[in-house]
Amino acid sequence: DRARDQYRNVPWVRRAGRSFVANVVGTGIFPIPQTPDDAFNAVLTELWNEWVEESDADGLLDFYGQQALAVRAMRTAGEVLVRILYRPTDRYDLPLPFQLQVIEADHLDHLHTVPALPGGGRIVQGVEFAADGRRAAYHLWREHPQDMPIGLGQAERVRVPAGEILHLFEPERPGQVRGYPGMASTILRMLDMHEYEDA
């Protein structure tokens, strides 16, 4: 929350964040088909260009905008989730049968920990691990925790298979389950600088 607050309210922190996004994804990372068949490459490129415009399950951005959004969220919150939503092309009028949804990491319930599950698995900070140690699922709040209505019943958590979630964060130690903001170590100094500048 503090990193997000500084990103929103401190102009030079915001500029640094925008520069970071520009350096990581620029105007967008895209594939270039290089099969021996030029006609097939042209078909793949056309299909890609169609899907780029329909990639966002929320209908707000194209795929390149989603890349920037994900990198920005990862920079300020330390992690971000991208859910793959498989959808029939005929029903949703899509060029490919899936869309992507960028989800704030706040949806991942960091208080949900179960040391032992039937079958030998476990849940750590909302991330479910199978008995062999692989990530098996993510336990997500259906609504953003800050958007949940108070007094209208129990908040609902859903189990989403790990194959439908891209969990983007930078692991900095073995066994790390969740990410943390890269700017966490500089938050106090940035706050001091901002207050000094105001003074």
Side-chain angles (χ1 to χ4, degrees):
D1 287 342
R2 290 177 181 169
R4 287 175 182 156
D5 177 74
Q6 292 210 354
Y7 182 82
R8 282 191 304 265
N9 297 308
V10 181
W12 43 272
V13 173
R14 189 175 185 86
R15 182 169 184 226
R18 288 184 174 178
S19 296
F20 179 81
V21 171
N23 286 322
V24 173
V25 296
T27 57
I29 300 169
F30 58 91
I32 301 176
Q34 295 183 340
T35 71
D37 186 342
D38 290 339
F40 184 60
N41 290 342
V43 169
L44 288 178
T45 300
E46 183 179 350
L47 186 61
W48 169 262
N49 290 335
E50 288 178 25
W51 180 79
V52 159
E53 297 299 323
E54 303 293 337
S55 68
D56 188 1
D58 294 328
L60 299 174
L61 303 168
D62 63 11
F63 180 65
Y64 306 120
Q66 286 184 291
Q67 289 179 24
L69 179 63
V71 170
R72 189 178 310 112
M74 194 172 108
R75 178 72 175 163
T76 55
E79 60 184 340
V80 68
L81 306 171
V82 180
R83 186 171 183 181
I84 305 168
L85 297 169
Y86 296 98
R87 294 177 163 168
T89 54
D90 54 347
R91 183 175 169 198
Y92 288 89
D93 192 27
L94 297 171
L96 294 172
F98 71 98
Q99 290 182 301
L100 304 176
Q101 183 181 33
V102 181
I103 302 172
E104 276 193 318
D106 298 9
H107 282 265
L108 188 55
D109 185 4
H110 68 283
L111 298 177
H112 186 45
T113 295
V114 180
L117 294 172
R122 63 194 173 104
I123 300 173
V124 180
Q125 297 180 27
V127 181
E128 181 178 330
F129 293 88
D132 61 5
R134 64 183 171 78
R135 291 177 183 238
Y138 288 80
H139 294 259
L140 306 178
W141 293 117
R142 190 174 292 278
E143 304 290 335
H144 191 285
Q146 293 179 353
D147 294 337
M148 292 180 190
I150 298 173
L152 295 180
Q154 184 70 24
E156 187 178 0
R157 191 188 307 116
V158 294
R159 181 185 184 274
V160 180
E164 296 178 17
I165 295 288
L166 305 173
H167 187 184
L168 307 178
F169 70 98
E170 183 179 0
E172 297 197 15
R173 60 179 179 79
Q176 183 176 335
V177 176
R178 304 282 305 268
Y180 60 90
M183 54 193 282
S185 60
T186 61
I187 285 177
L188 290 177
R189 179 164 293 187
M190 286 190 296
L191 182 61
D192 288 345
M193 286 293 294
H194 183 53
E195 289 178 349
Y196 172 76
E197 187 180 55
D198 280 350

